[in-house]
Amino acid sequence: MFALWIALMVVLALVALGAWLYYRRNTEKSSGRDDRYTPERVLTPEQVQMLDYLHDTFPGHVVLPNLPLKDMLSVRRAADHKTAQERLRTQKVDFVVCGEDGRPQFAFDVEQYHLSNAKAKEHQVKIKNRILKTAGVRFLLLKNGIHRMPSPDDFRAQLNLAALPQPKPKEEVETPQQRLESRISEFDQLYPATGFRDSEVMGLSGLMNLGEEDAERQNRQRPPSQRSRAH
């Protein structure tokens, strides 16, 4: 009987030792000296070409790809602050162009065709467009290939017409008048001179027509005797 107890204790000790060795082997941190890694694709070849095209369009500016809205915007005012932050977390843009102050000025997505659940994706694009407009960031859709885009100089000239006024950065102290204007959403209701409403997403064809619309608007603002006659 005593020998049986001795054998049982030896078995239990061996089991405990094995469990301890297993735990130690699986929890002990490796030095990493034998680890090896493989590079993954950050951008597709098409994205690399578009990034080069945007650098040519905005020389000297910072152009970033695949940027979440949460990394380029913050909630300025919202009825539900948590929900507004969640919208920023779930949205991203394909490219963003920053001004000299490091803040975003233009955001771009590349047009996609034959998408599954296209209606839901279109709704998300409209939400993204509305969010960006309230921050003074113009959102546009790019063609899915630089061979379908205008020259960088022509594209930049049209983008200058499409630029939006930007709200005052939140770190700057607002006057009482400015706080009042913020409360009544004066900026959010402001339609830019291009006439595009918040619910509309500007594509390349709409952007290329801005020069003609701008000239026509300026012509209408002149006295009748100075207006150009197209007919």
Side-chain angles (χ1 to χ4, degrees):
M1 186 68 178
F2 180 74
L4 182 63
W5 276 106
I6 293 295
L8 181 61
M9 293 296 293
V10 170
V11 170
L12 291 175
L14 291 174
V15 170
L17 178 62
W20 179 78
L21 289 175
Y22 176 82
Y23 173 80
R24 181 174 179 179
R25 185 179 65 182
N26 286 275
T27 56
E28 192 175 66
K29 291 185 178 180
S30 169
S31 65
R33 300 183 66 175
D34 296 327
D35 298 345
R36 299 295 182 268
Y37 302 89
T38 299
E40 295 293 336
R41 189 184 297 279
V42 177
L43 299 173
T44 65
E46 294 77 14
Q47 287 177 314
V48 172
Q49 291 178 352
M50 188 60 74
L51 189 61
D52 287 341
Y53 171 84
L54 291 175
H55 276 130
D56 291 340
T57 304
F58 296 92
H61 288 250
V62 175
V63 185
L64 301 172
N66 299 326
L67 197 66
L69 293 196
K70 68 179 181 63
D71 292 341
M72 54 187 282
L73 304 178
S74 60
V75 180
R76 178 160 49 92
R77 183 182 66 256
D80 187 331
H81 198 273
K82 184 177 180 180
T83 301
Q85 285 184 317
E86 180 66 15
R87 291 193 185 98
L88 296 182
R89 191 187 67 80
T90 57
Q91 296 274 12
K92 75 175 188 69
V93 292
D94 291 337
F95 301 97
V96 61
V97 176
C98 299
E100 295 179 356
D101 60 357
R103 294 187 175 92
Q105 287 184 332
F106 295 96
F108 305 96
D109 272 356
V110 177
E111 287 181 340
Q112 300 182 41
Y113 301 99
H114 310 297
L115 294 173
S116 59
N117 201 10
K119 190 172 183 179
K121 288 184 171 65
E122 181 183 359
H123 177 66
Q124 290 300 314
V125 167
K126 288 183 177 180
I127 292 176
K128 186 191 308 184
N129 181 53
R130 187 181 69 234
I131 292 172
L132 289 166
K133 274 198 172 183
T134 68
V137 180
R138 171 63 79 183
F139 177 61
L140 299 105
L141 297 179
L142 302 174
K143 296 295 184 182
N144 58 344
I146 59 173
H147 64 283
R148 303 180 62 199
M149 297 292 296
S151 70
D153 289 341
D154 289 344
F155 189 45
R156 179 61 189 273
Q158 298 303 111
L159 286 172
N160 288 337
L161 294 175
L164 292 175
Q166 294 194 336
K168 179 183 289 295
K170 66 179 183 180
E171 66 266 23
E172 295 183 16
V173 178
E174 290 185 333
T175 66
Q177 177 64 27
Q178 289 169 333
R179 286 196 294 270
L180 177 61
E181 292 174 352
S182 180
R183 289 193 191 98
I184 64 176
S185 306
E186 182 180 64
F187 178 83
D188 296 346
Q189 300 301 322
L190 177 63
Y191 294 151
T194 62
F196 280 80
R197 295 178 179 270
D198 287 345
S199 61
E200 296 177 343
V201 180
M202 185 181 289
L204 190 63
S205 59
L207 178 68
M208 291 297 106
N209 289 330
L210 289 184
E212 297 177 4
E213 293 177 5
D214 187 59
E216 182 180 350
R217 182 170 55 253
Q218 291 179 358
N219 186 47
R220 288 198 303 265
Q221 293 173 350
R222 295 171 182 164
S225 60
Q226 298 180 7
R227 294 180 185 174
S228 60
R229 292 175 174 76
H231 302 289

